[in-house]
Amino acid sequence: MKRATLLAPLLLAALSLTPALAQGAAATPATPAAAEGTRTVEAVTATSSRGYSIRVPAGWIPLKNVPGADVAFINRDAGTVRPTVTVQVQDVDPKLKATLADFRDLFATQLGRDVPKFRMLGEKTIKLGSTPAILWTYLGDGDGGMVRWTQVFTVKNNRLFTATLVQPSGTTAEQIEEGRAILTSLTLK
């Protein structure tokens, strides 16, 4: 119980789903394609000094200065629907000896309280490289209606990594697929 009490502040920060591009990560172009003398960037790879990189396709633009997010991208072709991807990195006190299972249990308890009309759609244990991770998909009320979240989180080197795809109602299948590809591109260093 003592460990759960100590982990609660980390949980609240990890569940913050506000998109942004905060300081500490650099976006570098990748896979350029030339078309009649013009250069088109097909994707960028954001590499962070916090221990990860993530690949983002064209059509997703970085957001700056969002509290709690290390990097964030928003789909620019969405009109009024604004799917976003965020990555948060939080240092975990080594004295806590917190495991992925600890964070999973804490998050599961908190989601039902923090997300109105919360409904879990699925949970999987996956690997990010050789590191075990949890992948969740869930629904709930958000600003302007139902929102679907796809979230992957893991713990490595006393850091909690949380990548989140936020899909408001009306997000197209193509945007969802691109967002999922961003999440699966997360690579820990």
Side-chain angles (χ1 to χ4, degrees), residues 24-102:
T28 55
T31 320
E36 296 185 27
T38 61
R39 186 173 176 198
T40 303
V41 175
E42 293 178 6
V44 296
T45 299
T47 302
S48 174
S49 61
R50 307 263 340 243
Y52 71 91
S53 65
I54 193 164
R55 186 174 171 83
V56 182
W60 291 75
I61 55 176
L63 295 174
K64 294 184 179 187
N65 302 323
V66 174
D70 195 48
V71 295
F73 295 88
I74 190 164
N75 188 290
R76 74 169 146 223
D77 298 325
T80 59
V81 177
R82 303 303 294 210
T84 59
V85 172
T86 61
V87 178
Q88 295 175 307
V89 181
Q90 297 165 288
D91 292 323
V92 178
D93 186 345
K95 294 175 194 170
L96 292 176
K97 298 187 188 315
T99 67
L100 182 59
D102 293 329

